[in-house]
């Protein structure tokens, strides 16, 4: 008895109060959190918030153990857990928030608390790295111990915060932090440090500096050598994926990306001068084999790796709050997609319940509670939460009584609904007046309680009562049935035949019960016409009652089909149909097949499309290649393809070219839509028939013959293994030398021969080849081998020191006519010659100025001539010492006094330090405010008189002058009334100041 009573009370709770209360519903759940080990916050929080009636209680679990919230280390604010002075050893792990009220319990998704750190780099100094110029270099970063692994990398040069700029020649991998230099140049000299940042804990560290010392060497070329290689990558659907590829080589290799046998993803983006491929919002179709190719004219290198696309679980169908009758059955579908396919498991009130699909037969009150469906794979876990309520109540019509008045059409069919609220499901019975109704030929009682009457007559009018009964009680409801006149189509639509662009009319008139409103509904092939959306083509006659005539304007092919007019009242309806035939241009042909693929021709077959009631007169075949997005009419055999044909040959195609084809049909009413494109095919190969153009060359380094040509575009390759055969011989000889260039995109070949005389005339010609044979040679061109490097030494080299940072160098030209210019090298005496800086000028120059030198420093300087073949011998080395630096102290202006039409400005004497040049005087610039130019004067005094400005404000700048240059500037602004502009030079001249520019 107690057991039964408890369930009766429980039932009351769910059936009456259950409509007001509900179980916990999460509004905020904990998320993965990284707490920096060096944080000064002293606390970390995990958020959890749920709504529920009555108000819920919260508790927390760590690694599936209950957290003792009575300890001082923990505090709760609502559902939020706050941990004071967190420690990795006892607080790291997986946290779950558990929320409960009288309706049940739910568990939050798991959230991981981890501790982030980034250790400093080791303190050991790095050995200097010496690399020959032109050779590639890799500086290793070797980041320190850290968590998490989300570091970003940059490199410092010489000092913080000077970061190196990345370009085609330099690349920093964000995978390992290493700095890659494709080929080292003299300008790369310096001290390098790897700068590592962790965004998760907002901390950065940098390594000890690594000295990089380029070693001077005659320029050499090295083939491409890929050093940064992306690995097989697993990406999650919708993520952004980054692949890195970088190669060493001289000259700097070009980088190209491709996807094996497939086009690159539409969202792919190449950056960092080709070194980085990013695929945004990656999809399953983006999975595949990706290739990076690096190439310079010395050679090429390739690297391939596969990208796999998988996915975290995602709901296809999930559970929602549900209310079920006691004793009924429950099937709760819970379906998730993902890769790998997720597994499904269930929790009930926070406790493991079942796996797979959930079915419960004969529900009881004990089945009520909070359910959680969990979908999980290797990439993630998702939760769907819902409350199951079990209801039990006697039948009641309070919320859904029977209609008081039910209308039925004469001779028609009527259904009288009976839908009381009841749990469990009640049994139903019906009466008409006092007569109990049973199933018969015209009357049927459905399982859901509805009463159906067919072939309604006047005798069926009357009062109908529905009785509902279950084990908890019974109830009934009554309504009155009345009969109306049936709706009939009196003038049905007729079949219509029109041509595209014409108008068509469909008639439709109906009779109906005069007490009811009549509406007309038109449909095409079973789909109701939306007159608002389709107002451009469809119009109804709404002026005449009982007339539903339809006007179809500017008929198109898509308007053809079966039109149905339905006349309806709230009681019944009547329909009639007719066909609209639309004649127009043909539909697209289908089923294109490609056969007999040759080098310049293919055979096509296809199937006829719809002729749209006008015979097809001809077909047109179009083709498209990757060279253009435009479809072009193809040349065919026969040239005119008649409408009764379903095959033809396409001729005059390009050998070894990828093609797509489509077919267009035409009849007397116009040209139709094109077919779907065929599958892409490649024609057979053939020997090239076009010779390279613009053959020429010459120049280059000592003992070299440089031959150039314009590479043939892809459409003239005609086959795979495409390349060039370069033939050359000295002018007048009979035997041609031949070499093969296998890169189809390169138009340059350099032949080296130590025995080759300089500036010798050669004949050269080039032809293309592929796996099918050779093409024709180009016209023969005449070029010259490289000249010798200069042998003379520039003479009479002289140097003049201009200041602490500038010197002037002059020299006499050499007599050799092949000289293209002169190179001036200079390096500080305490540096090695390999570190010399270089300035090059044309052969028209006899002198140049060297700038940005260090003050009071000894420099070595030499001059050499050069041409395309190289550098001649340097002149004798000249030593000079730059001036001491100018005074660093700026003049201190101590007064500015106006005296009539003049200002008297006075400053303190500037005293040079021991390592600075002595003060020789002062320069004074008198200029309008906001302008850079003005009058410049020199004086040996500590005072100057300047006129009062005639208009606006003027600035007076004062700086000390020495043999090392000008010192720091001091300035003051003055303003005054109008005076004549010619007064300034006269005034200053009378005061004894010298004008210097």
């Amino acid at each position: 008895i107690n057991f039964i009573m408890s369930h009766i009370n429980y039932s009351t709770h769910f059936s009456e109060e259950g409509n007001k209360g509900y179980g916990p519903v999460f509004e905020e759940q904990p998320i993965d959190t990284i707490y920096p080990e060096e944080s000064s916050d002293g606390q970390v929080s995990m958020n959890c918030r749920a709504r529920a009636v009555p108000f819920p209680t919260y508790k927390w679990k760590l690694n599936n153990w209950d957290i003792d919230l009575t300890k001082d280390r923990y505090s709760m604010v609502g559902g939020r857990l706050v941990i004071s002075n967190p420690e990795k050893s006892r607080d790291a792990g997986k946290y779950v928030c558990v929320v409960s009220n009288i309706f049940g319990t739910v568990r939050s998704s798991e959230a991981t608390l981890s501790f982030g750190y980034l250790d400093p780099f080791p303190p050991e100094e790095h050995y200097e790295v010496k690399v020959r110029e032109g050779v590639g270099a890799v500086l290793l970063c070797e980041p320190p111990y850290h968590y998490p692994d989300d570091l970003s990398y940059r490199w410092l040069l010489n000092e913080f915060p000077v970061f190196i700029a990345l370009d085609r020649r330099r690349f920093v991998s964000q995978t390992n932090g290493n700095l890659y230099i494709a080929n080292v140049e003299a300008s790369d000299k310096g001290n390098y440090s790897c700068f590592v940042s962790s965004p998760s804990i907002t901390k950065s560290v940098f390594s000890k500096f690594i000295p990089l010392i380029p070693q001077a060497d005659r320029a050499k070329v090295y083939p491409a050598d890929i050093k940064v290689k992306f690995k097989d990558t697993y990406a999650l659907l919708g993520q952004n994926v980054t692949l890195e590829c970088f190669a060493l080589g001289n000259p700097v290799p070009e980088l190209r990306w491709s996807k094996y046998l497939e086009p690159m993803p539409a969202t792919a983006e190449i950056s960092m001068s080709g070194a980085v491929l990013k695929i945004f919002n990656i999809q399953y179709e983006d999975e595949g084999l990706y290739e990076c190719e690096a190439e310079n004219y010395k050679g090429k290198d390739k690297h391939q790796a596969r990208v796999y696309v998988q996915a975290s679980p995602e709901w296809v169908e999930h559970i929602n709050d549900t209310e079920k009758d006691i004793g009924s059955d429950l099937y709760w579908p819970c379906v998730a997609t993902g890769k790998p396919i997720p597994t499904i498991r269930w929790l009930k009130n926070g406790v493991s319940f079942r796996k797979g699909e959930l079915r419960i037969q004969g529900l009881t009150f004990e089945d009520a509670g909070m359910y959680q469906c969990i979908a999980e794979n290797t990439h993630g876990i998702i939760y769907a939460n819902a409350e199951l309520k079990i209801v039990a109540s006697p039948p009641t019509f309070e919320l859904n009584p029977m209609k008081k008045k039910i209308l039925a059409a004469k001779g028609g069919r009527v259904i009288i609904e009976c839908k009381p609220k009841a749990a469990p499901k009640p049994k139903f019975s019906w009466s008409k007046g006092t007569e109990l109704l049973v199933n018969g030929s015209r009357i049927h009682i459905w399982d859901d309680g509805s009463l159906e009457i067919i072939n309604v007559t006047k005798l069926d009018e009357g009062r109908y009562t529905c009785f509902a009964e279950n084990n908890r009680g019974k109830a009934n409801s009554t309504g009155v049935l009345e009969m109306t006149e049936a709706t009939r189509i009196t003038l049905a639509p007729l079949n219509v035949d029109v041509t595209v662009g014409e108008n068509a009319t469909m008639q439709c008139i109906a009779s109906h019960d005069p007490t009811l409103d009549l509406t007309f509904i038109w449909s095409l092939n079973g789909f109701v016409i939306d007159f608002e959306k389709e107002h451009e083509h469809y119009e109804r006659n709404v002026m005449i009652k009982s007339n539903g005539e339809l006007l179809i304007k500017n008929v198109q092919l898509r308007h053809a089909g079966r039109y149905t007019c339905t006349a309806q009242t709230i009681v019944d309806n009547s329909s009639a149909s007719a066909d609209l035939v639309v004649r127009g241009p043909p539909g697209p042909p289908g089923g294109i097949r490609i056969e007999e693929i040759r080098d310049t021709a293919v055979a096509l077959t296809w199937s006829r499309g719809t002729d749209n009631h006008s015979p097809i007169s001809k077909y047109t075949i179009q083709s498209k290649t990757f060279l253009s997005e435009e479809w072009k009419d193809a040349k065919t055999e026969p040239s005119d393809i008649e409408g009764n044909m379903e095959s033809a040959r396409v001729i005059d195609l390009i050998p070894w070219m990828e093609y797509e084809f489509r077919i267009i049909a035409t009849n007397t009413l116009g040209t139709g839509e094109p077919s779907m494109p065929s599958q892409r095919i490649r024609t057979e190969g053939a020997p090239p028939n076009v010779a390279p153009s613009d053959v020429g060359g010459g120049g280059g380094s000592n003992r070299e013959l440089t031959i150039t040509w314009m590479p043939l575009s892809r459409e003239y390759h005609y086959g795979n293994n495409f390349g060039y055969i370069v033939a050359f011989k000295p002018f007048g000889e009979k035997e041609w030398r031949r070499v093969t260039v296998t890169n189809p995109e390169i138009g340059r070949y350099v032949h080296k021969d130590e025995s080759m005389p300089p500036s010798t005339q050669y004949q050269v010609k080039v032809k293309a080849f592929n796996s099918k044979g050779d093409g024709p040679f180009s016209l023969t061109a005449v070029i010259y081998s490289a000249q010798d490097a200069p042998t003379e030494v520039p003479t009479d080299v002289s140097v003049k020191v201009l200041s602490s940072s500038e010197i002037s160098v002059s020299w006499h030209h050499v007599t050799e006519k092949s000289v293209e210019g002169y190179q001036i090298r200079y390096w500080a005496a305490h540096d090695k010659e390999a570190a010399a800086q270089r300035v090059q000028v044309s052969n028209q120059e006899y002198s140049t100025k060297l700038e940005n030198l260090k003050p009071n420093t000894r420099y070595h300087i030499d001059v050499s001539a050069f041409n395309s073949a190289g550098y001649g011998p340097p002149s004798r080395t000249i030593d000079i010492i730059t001036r001491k630096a100018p005074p660093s102290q700026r003049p201190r202006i101590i007064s500015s006094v106006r005296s009539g039409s003049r200002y008297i400005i006075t400053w303190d004497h500037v005293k040079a330090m021991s390592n600075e040049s002595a003060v020789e005087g002062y320069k004074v610039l008198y200029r309008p405010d906001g302008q850079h130019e003005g009058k410049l004067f020199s004086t040996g005094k500590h005072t100057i008189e300047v006129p009062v400005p005639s208009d606006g404000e003027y600035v007076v700048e004062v700086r000390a002058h020495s043999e090392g240059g000008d010192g720091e500037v001091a300035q003051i602004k003055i303003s005054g009334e109008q005076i004549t502009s010619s007064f300034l030079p006269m005034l200053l001249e009378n005061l004894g100041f010298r004008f210097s520019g």
Side-chain angles (χ1 to χ4, degrees):
I1 293 174
N2 291 335
F3 176 79
I4 294 173
M5 290 303 296
S6 68
H7 277 68
I8 291 174
N9 292 336
Y10 205 68
S11 165
T12 303
H13 175 78
F14 274 76
S15 61
E16 297 175 6
E17 296 181 16
N19 292 327
K20 301 175 183 177
Y22 54 89
V25 178
F26 280 113
E27 292 184 329
E28 185 177 12
Q29 300 190 54
I31 59 174
D32 291 343
T33 301
I34 297 173
Y35 179 78
E37 290 186 358
E38 300 176 8
S39 173
S40 59
D41 292 348
Q43 66 177 31
V44 64
S45 61
M46 306 293 280
N47 293 334
C48 182
R49 187 174 76 254
R51 54 183 167 84
V53 177
F55 196 78
T57 59
Y58 296 87
K59 68 177 183 178
W60 284 84
K61 290 178 177 288
L62 170 58
N63 297 328
N64 232 16
W65 292 88
D66 287 345
I67 292 177
D68 184 357
L69 298 174
T70 62
K71 291 184 177 180
D72 292 341
R73 302 182 58 248
Y74 301 109
S75 60
M76 289 268 285
V77 181
R80 183 162 66 102
L81 174 67
V82 180
I83 307 170
S84 299
N85 300 317
E87 296 179 9
K88 182 177 181 180
S89 58
R90 56 180 177 178
D91 295 319
K94 294 183 177 180
Y95 286 75
V96 173
C97 173
V98 183
V99 190
S100 305
N101 73 358
I102 61 172
F103 291 104
T105 301
V106 289
R107 291 168 60 104
S108 73
S109 54
E110 289 183 344
T112 300
L113 173 60
S114 50
F115 287 72
Y117 61 93
L118 175 58
D119 289 349
F121 277 93
E124 290 81 17
E125 297 290 338
H126 290 283
Y127 294 108
E128 61 185 24
V129 178
K130 297 182 178 180
V131 185
R132 296 195 315 275
E133 291 181 12
V135 176
V138 181
L139 299 185
L140 304 181
C141 179
E142 297 176 332
Y145 291 116
H146 59 275
Y147 182 87
D149 193 16
D150 62 347
L151 302 183
S152 63
Y153 302 91
R154 290 185 289 175
W155 280 76
L156 295 167
L157 178 59
N158 294 326
E159 60 181 348
F160 182 86
V162 180
F163 294 98
I164 67 165
L166 304 182
D167 49 30
R168 290 180 61 247
R169 200 172 57 85
R170 296 180 293 191
F171 176 70
V172 175
S173 169
Q174 296 303 309
T175 302
N176 57 26
N178 294 345
L179 169 62
Y180 297 82
I181 304 177
N183 52 68
V184 171
E185 297 178 354
S187 60
D188 293 322
K189 180 184 177 182
N191 297 311
Y192 291 78
S193 171
C194 181
F195 187 87
V196 180
S197 299
S198 173
S200 298
I201 62 173
T202 60
K203 181 181 178 182
S204 300
V205 294
F206 56 88
S207 68
K208 288 288 186 179
F209 281 92
I210 305 171
L212 176 62
I213 303 176
Q215 305 290 297
D217 193 7
R218 182 175 178 272
K220 294 182 180 178
V221 292
Y222 300 95
D225 180 13
I226 295 178
K227 289 298 184 184
V228 180
K229 299 180 179 180
F230 58 98
K231 300 177 181 178
D232 284 352
T233 302
Y234 285 84
L236 291 182
L237 185 72
Q239 280 187 340
N240 300 335
V241 176
T242 300
L243 307 180
E244 295 182 340
C245 178
F246 190 76
L248 311 185
N250 189 23
V252 178
E254 293 288 337
L255 298 170
R256 291 186 294 272
W257 291 87
S258 61
K259 187 180 181 190
Y260 184 66
L261 296 180
E262 294 182 74
M264 289 283 277
T267 60
E269 183 178 287
I270 297 172
S271 60
M272 300 299 290
S273 301
V276 173
L277 169 66
K278 278 191 176 181
I279 306 172
F280 294 91
N281 188 26
I282 196 166
Q283 301 298 305
Y284 288 123
E285 59 266 25
D286 299 331
E287 185 174 272
L289 190 65
Y290 287 80
E291 179 178 277
C292 169
E293 182 179 82
E295 182 176 17
N296 60 16
Y297 70 80
K298 188 67 175 177
K300 71 168 65 173
D301 193 9
K302 290 184 180 180
H303 171 70
Q304 291 181 333
R306 187 167 290 275
V307 173
Y308 300 90
V309 180
Q310 300 198 331
S312 303
E314 187 174 331
W315 291 120
V316 175
E317 186 176 8
H318 62 77
I319 59 176
N320 294 295
D321 290 345
T322 300
E323 191 176 278
K324 298 289 287 185
D325 293 348
I326 191 167
S328 64
D329 298 336
L330 171 70
Y331 168 58
W332 238 346
C334 191
V335 183
T337 184
K339 189 176 179 181
I341 296 173
T343 58
I344 300 292
R345 59 187 175 92
W346 294 81
L347 302 179
K348 179 186 176 186
N349 292 326
V351 179
S352 182
F353 185 57
R354 290 187 188 175
K355 294 183 178 179
E357 66 177 23
L358 181 62
R359 291 181 184 270
I360 304 176
Q361 293 182 327
L363 288 168
T364 68
F365 288 120
E366 290 191 353
D367 294 316
M370 300 301 299
Y371 286 79
Q372 293 179 276
C373 175
I374 302 173
E376 185 174 12
N377 68 7
T378 54
H379 301 298
I381 181 171
I382 53 176
Y383 291 71
N385 305 342
E387 181 179 357
L388 174 62
K389 287 186 176 180
I390 307 299
V391 243
S393 67
T396 174
F397 285 93
E398 288 183 8
L399 299 177
N400 195 21
M402 278 180 57
K403 290 182 179 180
K404 296 302 180 185
K405 183 178 180 180
I406 303 108
L407 299 178
K410 181 180 179 182
R413 167 177 173 263
V414 66
I415 295 175
I416 307 174
E417 291 185 340
C418 178
K419 293 184 176 181
K421 182 179 180 182
K425 180 181 176 182
K427 293 182 179 179
F428 296 96
S429 60
W430 283 83
S431 69
K432 178 189 176 188
T434 59
E435 177 188 359
L436 185 66
L437 300 177
V438 295
N439 289 335
S441 59
R442 290 196 314 115
I443 296 177
H444 181 74
I445 301 173
W446 290 5
D447 286 343
D448 68 355
S450 299
L451 175 66
E452 179 183 23
I453 306 173
I454 59 176
N455 296 326
V456 174
T457 68
K458 190 72 174 176
L459 296 176
D460 292 320
E461 291 185 326
R463 293 172 59 84
Y464 287 80
T465 302
C466 173
F467 298 91
E469 182 177 2
N470 66 9
N471 60 6
R472 294 182 173 268
K474 56 186 175 180
N476 62 75
S477 185
T478 300
V480 176
L481 176 65
E482 296 181 0
M483 193 187 74
T484 63
E485 290 297 321
T487 303
R488 297 280 184 268
I489 299 288
T490 56
L491 185 61
L494 302 175
N495 294 340
V496 181
D497 189 325
V498 296
T499 300
V500 168
E502 295 179 347
N503 295 340
T505 301
M506 291 277 189
Q507 63 186 11
C508 186
I509 297 177
S511 64
H512 66 290
D513 191 296
T515 65
L516 303 176
D517 291 330
L518 178 69
T519 59
F520 288 91
I521 297 173
W522 283 92
S523 61
L524 170 59
N525 297 326
F527 294 95
V528 175
I529 296 171
D530 187 331
F531 285 89
E532 286 190 8
K533 288 185 179 178
E534 298 279 351
H535 66 275
E536 291 184 4
H537 293 285
Y538 292 108
E539 187 178 300
R540 277 185 301 193
N541 187 343
V542 294
M543 302 302 293
I544 305 175
K545 192 175 181 182
S546 302
N547 188 341
E549 182 179 82
L550 172 68
L551 173 63
I552 310 169
K553 302 176 290 184
N554 186 21
V555 173
Q556 301 299 307
L557 290 172
R558 67 177 185 275
H559 297 138
R562 173 156 285 250
Y563 284 79
T564 300
C565 171
T566 301
Q568 73 174 27
T569 66
I570 59 171
V571 177
D572 68 338
N573 63 70
S574 179
S575 298
S577 299
D579 292 323
L580 174 65
V581 175
V582 181
R583 302 180 186 276
I592 300 178
R593 296 188 305 278
I594 304 175
E595 302 167 346
E596 301 176 24
I597 300 173
R598 302 288 186 263
D599 56 352
T600 60
V602 297
L604 295 185
T605 60
W606 60 90
S607 57
R608 296 169 58 88
T610 58
D611 62 9
N612 290 323
H613 312 287
S614 178
I616 296 171
S617 55
K618 72 169 185 174
Y619 289 100
T620 303
I621 298 178
Q622 294 184 325
S623 65
K624 185 176 75 168
T625 71
F626 76 92
L627 299 173
S628 171
E629 287 299 314
E630 182 183 352
W631 288 92
K632 298 178 180 178
D633 289 353
K635 192 173 182 180
T636 61
E637 284 184 353
S639 56
D640 295 323
I641 306 172
E642 296 181 357
N644 60 354
M645 298 178 65
E646 294 186 12
S647 65
R649 279 172 52 83
V650 183
I651 59 174
D652 288 357
L653 300 176
I654 300 172
W656 204 64
M657 178 62 69
E658 290 185 345
Y659 279 95
E660 290 178 280
F661 300 95
R662 70 180 188 184
I663 302 174
I664 302 173
T666 301
N667 62 16
T668 55
L669 297 177
T671 298
E673 293 292 319
S675 68
M676 292 291 291
S678 70
Q679 69 181 62
R680 186 180 288 122
I681 61 97
R682 176 179 285 167
T683 52
E684 293 289 328
N689 65 3
V690 176
S693 61
D694 295 340
V695 176
S701 301
N702 275 340
R703 308 294 184 256
E704 287 183 352
L705 179 67
T706 301
I707 304 167
T708 59
W709 61 94
M710 179 64 72
L712 292 176
S713 59
R714 166 65 181 84
E715 61 190 295
Y716 298 114
H717 287 190
Y718 286 11
N720 59 355
N721 298 325
F722 181 86
Y724 302 97
I725 295 174
V726 181
F728 56 94
K729 67 182 182 68
F731 198 85
E733 291 190 9
K734 293 183 178 181
E735 290 296 323
W736 291 86
R737 292 193 60 177
R738 297 189 177 200
V739 294
T740 300
V741 177
T742 58
N743 187 334
E745 297 178 10
I746 285 181
R748 185 173 185 266
Y749 170 72
V750 179
H751 176 69
K752 297 186 178 183
D753 185 349
E754 292 301 326
S755 63
M756 183 188 300
S759 302
T760 302
Q761 198 176 52
Y762 276 79
Q763 291 177 292
V764 296
K765 57 185 179 180
V766 183
K767 69 178 177 179
F769 73 90
N770 61 24
S771 58
K772 294 293 184 178
D774 295 354
F777 267 118
S778 67
L779 296 174
T780 300
V782 176
I783 64 174
Y784 290 85
S785 61
Q787 54 199 358
D788 274 342
T791 57
E792 290 186 45
V793 176
T795 58
D796 292 341
V797 177
S798 64
V799 178
K800 181 180 179 181
V801 179
L802 303 178
S803 69
S804 61
S805 62
E806 296 177 330
I807 61 174
S808 173
V809 184
S810 61
W811 61 91
H812 281 180
H813 283 192
V814 299
T815 60
E816 292 169 296
K817 294 183 179 180
S818 65
V819 169
E820 297 174 3
Y822 293 87
Q823 174 177 270
I824 299 89
R825 295 193 311 158
Y826 59 99
W827 64 99
H830 59 267
D831 287 339
K832 296 180 180 178
E833 184 177 348
Q837 299 190 61
R838 297 166 169 81
V839 173
Q840 291 185 347
V841 297
S842 73
N843 61 3
Q844 304 297 315
E845 302 293 334
Y846 288 83
S847 65
T848 190
K849 182 190 290 186
L850 305 181
E851 301 175 326
N852 300 319
L853 304 180
K854 295 178 181 178
N856 199 27
T857 302
R858 180 181 295 276
Y859 279 90
H860 304 311
I861 302 166
D862 64 28
V863 182
S864 58
F866 70 86
N867 60 17
S868 61
Y871 297 96
S875 67
R876 65 181 180 86
T877 302
I878 296 179
D879 288 359
I880 59 95
I881 299 176
T882 53
R883 310 284 192 205
K884 290 182 179 181
S888 57
Q889 178 190 347
R890 60 166 50 92
R892 188 171 71 90
I893 298 176
I894 57 178
S895 69
S896 172
V897 180
R898 179 169 179 173
S899 177
S901 61
R902 296 169 296 173
Y903 269 102
I904 303 172
I905 299 169
T906 308
W907 58 89
D908 279 343
H909 174 60
V910 174
K911 186 176 181 181
M913 301 177 70
S914 60
N915 63 342
E916 296 176 342
S917 298
V919 176
E920 296 179 346
Y922 298 92
K923 289 183 178 180
V924 180
L925 178 65
Y926 179 74
R927 62 176 176 81
D929 188 19
Q931 298 183 20
H932 297 293
E933 296 182 357
K935 296 291 184 177
L936 181 65
F937 305 94
S938 295
T939 179
K941 299 178 182 180
H942 303 162
T943 183
I944 189 171
E945 294 188 18
V946 296
V948 173
S950 58
D951 185 23
E953 287 189 324
Y954 268 64
V955 175
V956 179
E957 295 181 354
V958 183
R959 53 166 60 86
H961 175 66
S962 70
E963 67 173 4
D966 294 338
E968 295 293 319
V969 67
Q971 66 178 31
I972 189 171
K973 288 185 180 180
I974 60 175
S975 61
E977 299 177 356
Q978 180 74 25
I979 62 171
T980 58
S981 59
S982 61
F983 180 72
L984 174 62
M986 185 186 307
L987 172 63
L988 294 175
E989 188 174 338
N990 292 335
L991 292 171
F993 291 104
R994 301 188 308 276
F995 177 71
S996 61

